[in-house]
């Protein structure tokens, strides 16, 4: 039995991770579950899976759950819930399914506790790549990707030597605005952006998909996960979301990982790696006359992707600033405070005011992250 701790258990990745656990009660148990504020779903999860600890990050929601819960699971409130679940003694693996830079410190704590990391929180590597990868090496911890694109690359790279591989090819659905005319994109509403054509995801990542900020974050994450420089990480738009990503070999051959857009497959592969087990899901059927399309990204209409390459190559704290400013602007857009086109403008404005990098430590990283969020809020007033 492998004990699993899920940071973000009530979100899209968290609930699908629990479905994998549900399908394999002989392989896994849920030892720790942490939600942000959805206590109704969390309480149902506690009842079904009986974790040792459960946490609610939002203090008010925690007080509400604490007042009505009478079971044996230990409840923890506030940010401490994430840290406690990250180092849960009986857990063998931590699935980081929270959204945003809030995942950085719990992931570091889990690495130092020598837990295997199932990473669905791309912001952790985008912002803290140098620190996270160095710590994984120091503590001998496996970092297993859960994002569908990175899992696909991870699977394609198995059995290959680095010398045989030329480049990584990350696919992008193109999001809900893929076919919009250039002049309309900046005026897209949150409702427009939340209509993702192939994936059912949380609101923040869905907005990022519409702007291609998400694909930019994935490019930077791929650099840290697989050690390829940015000139050998490419993006292609694939509207059907069936080819999850590819690698190009030095002889021109291309290896791809295909499947229906269902996150349970990459989640389960991370949980069972290097073995594979049956999974109840709709599998791909080639007898259904599949049509697969591929297009180059519209860099001028979705400039966040080009900007991601620039900040990735610049390195230092630039990716952390890129991430923090975008995260702040996306939530402002969801709240109706700014327009869709202002997300990119805000990120550029914050990057332009960034000072020279200091030593890359956790303390400095958190300080830079906080500065970028404050600066983004100032620019959006």
């Amino acid at each position: 039995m492998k004990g699993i701790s899920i940071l973000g258990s009530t979100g899209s990745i968290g609930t699908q991770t629990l479905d994998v656990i549900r399908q394999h009660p002989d392989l896994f148990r849920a030892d720790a579950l942490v939600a942000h504020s959805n206590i109704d779903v969390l309480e149902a999860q506690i009842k079904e899976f009986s974790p040792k600890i459960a946490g609610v990050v939002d203090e008010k929601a925690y007080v509400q759950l604490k007042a009505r819960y009478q079971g044996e699971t230990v409840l923890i409130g506030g940010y401490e819930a994430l840290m406690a679940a990250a180092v849960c003694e009986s857990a063998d693996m931590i699935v980081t399914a929270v959204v945003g830079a809030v995942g950085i410190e719990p992931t570091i704590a889990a690495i130092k506790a020598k837990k295997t990391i199932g990473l669905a929180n791309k912001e952790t590597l985008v912002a803290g790549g140098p620190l996270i990868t160095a710590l994984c090496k120091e503590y001998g911890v496996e970092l297993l990707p859960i994002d569908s694109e990175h899992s696909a690359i991870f699977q394609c790279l198995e059995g290959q030597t680095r010398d045989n591989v030329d480049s990584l090819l990350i696919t992008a659905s193109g999001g809900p605005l893929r076919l919009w005319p250039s002049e309309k994109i900046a005026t897209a509403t949150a409702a427009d952006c939340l209509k993702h054509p192939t994936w059912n995801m949380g609101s923040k990542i869905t907005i990022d998909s519409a702007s291609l900020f998400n694909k930019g974050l994935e490019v930077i994450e791929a650099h840290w996960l697989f050690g390829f420089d940015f000139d050998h990480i490419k993006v292609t738009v694939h509207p059907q979301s069936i080819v999850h990503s590819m690698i190009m070999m030095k002889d021109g051959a291309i290896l791809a990982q295909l499947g229906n857009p269902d996150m349970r497959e990459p989640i389960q592969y991370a949980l069972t790696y290097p073995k594979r087990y049956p999974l109840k899901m709709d599998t791909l059927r080639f007898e259904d006359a599949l049509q697969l399309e591929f297009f180059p990204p519209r860099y001028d209409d979705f400039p966040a992707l080009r900007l991601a390459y620039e900040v990735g190559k610049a390195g230092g704290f630039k990716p952390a600033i890129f991430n923090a400013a975008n995260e702040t602007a996306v939530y402002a857009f969801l709240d109706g405070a700014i327009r869709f086109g202002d997300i990119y403008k805000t990120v550029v404005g914050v990057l332009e005011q960034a000072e020279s990098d200091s030593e890359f430590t956790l303390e400095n990283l958190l300080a830079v992250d906080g500065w970028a969020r404050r600066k983004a809020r100032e620019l959006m007033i």
Side-chain angles (χ1 to χ4, degrees):
M1 292 285 287
K2 181 182 289 186
I4 309 295
S5 178
I6 305 174
L7 312 185
S9 68
T10 60
S12 176
I13 296 297
T15 54
Q16 291 179 86
T17 301
L18 286 171
D19 188 52
V20 171
I21 293 174
R22 187 181 291 115
Q23 290 194 37
H24 299 287
D26 56 327
L27 296 177
F28 309 113
R29 64 177 185 271
D31 284 347
L33 304 175
V34 180
H36 180 264
S37 57
N38 194 338
I39 57 176
D40 292 335
V41 172
L42 179 62
E43 191 169 20
Q45 293 175 346
I46 294 170
K47 183 177 180 180
E48 179 179 0
F49 294 97
S50 301
K52 292 179 173 59
I53 64 174
V56 184
V57 176
D58 183 87
E59 294 280 6
K60 292 182 179 179
Y62 165 70
V63 171
Q64 293 175 7
L65 181 60
K66 184 75 172 177
R68 73 192 196 199
Y69 179 70
Q70 297 180 343
E72 296 182 1
T73 295
V74 176
L75 299 183
I76 304 174
Y79 185 74
E80 179 56 33
L82 290 171
M83 301 301 288
V87 298
C88 176
E89 186 174 354
S90 61
D92 303 290
M93 182 175 188
I94 310 301
V95 173
T96 57
V98 293
V99 176
V102 70
I104 295 173
E105 287 188 277
T107 300
I108 289 175
I111 293 170
K112 291 182 177 180
K114 297 189 176 181
K115 310 291 187 182
T116 299
I117 308 297
L119 190 67
N121 169 252
K122 60 178 63 68
E123 294 88 351
T124 291
L125 270 186
V126 170
L131 188 60
I132 299 296
T133 52
L135 285 170
C136 283
K137 184 176 181 180
E138 179 183 350
Y139 287 90
V141 167
E142 281 190 306
L143 187 64
L144 302 175
I146 285 179
D147 274 346
S148 61
E149 295 85 354
H150 300 96
S151 176
I153 292 170
F154 180 66
Q155 293 179 52
C156 289
L157 286 172
E158 282 195 67
Q160 305 297 331
T161 62
R162 178 64 181 84
D163 290 343
N164 285 337
V165 184
D166 176 77
S167 54
L168 311 180
L169 305 175
I170 301 176
T171 57
S173 70
L177 309 181
R178 181 178 68 85
L179 298 177
W180 278 41
S182 303
E183 64 273 13
K184 285 188 61 179
I185 292 172
T187 62
T189 66
D192 294 327
C193 296
L194 290 171
K195 296 175 183 175
H196 198 282
T198 53
W199 291 100
N200 181 19
M201 307 176 291
S203 58
K204 195 269 183 183
I205 191 174
T206 306
I207 300 299
D208 281 345
S209 178
S211 65
L212 290 195
F213 262 102
N214 185 56
K215 207 51 51 177
L217 295 171
E218 289 178 2
V219 167
I220 299 172
E221 183 184 11
H223 165 73
W224 290 110
L225 277 171
F226 306 115
F228 282 68
D229 64 60
F230 288 95
D231 290 332
H232 291 85
I233 304 174
K234 303 174 183 179
V235 173
T236 183
V237 174
H238 170 52
Q240 291 78 23
S241 298
I242 287 174
V243 177
H244 296 305
S245 277
M246 302 167 276
I247 62 173
M248 177 176 283
M249 311 304 288
K250 288 190 174 177
D251 61 6
I254 295 177
L255 308 184
Q257 191 265 330
L258 286 72
N260 281 325
D262 189 323
M263 283 302 301
R264 290 175 295 176
E265 188 279 323
I267 291 169
Q268 178 167 300
Y269 191 61
L271 266 59
T272 64
Y273 178 77
K275 296 182 179 180
R276 293 183 185 266
Y277 290 86
L279 178 65
K280 295 177 183 177
M281 57 175 278
D282 292 332
T283 55
L284 202 59
R285 292 167 51 87
F286 283 90
E287 56 267 36
D288 290 342
L290 298 175
Q291 291 186 335
L292 305 180
E293 299 174 292
F294 300 91
F295 305 94
R298 294 165 58 186
Y299 286 100
D300 292 337
D301 292 330
F302 301 96
L305 181 56
R306 181 183 289 122
L307 181 61
Y309 277 96
E310 293 174 4
V311 301
K313 290 178 179 180
F317 291 112
K318 292 292 193 303
I321 295 169
F322 174 86
N323 173 71
N326 172 64
E327 192 176 322
T328 306
V330 166
Y331 285 118
F333 171 65
L334 286 167
D335 288 340
I338 62 172
R339 300 196 315 163
F340 183 69
D342 294 330
I343 298 174
Y344 176 77
K345 293 178 183 177
T346 300
V347 175
V348 171
V350 175
L351 283 165
E352 287 176 344
Q353 296 189 41
E355 298 180 356
S356 300
D357 291 338
S358 52
E359 182 183 0
F360 205 103
T361 64
L362 176 59
E363 181 181 5
N364 288 340
L365 172 60
L366 297 177
V368 167
D369 178 88
W371 171 85
R373 293 170 194 275
R374 292 191 298 273
K375 184 58 64 176
R377 287 190 287 268
E378 289 176 11
L379 293 177
M380 291 186 293
I381 295 176

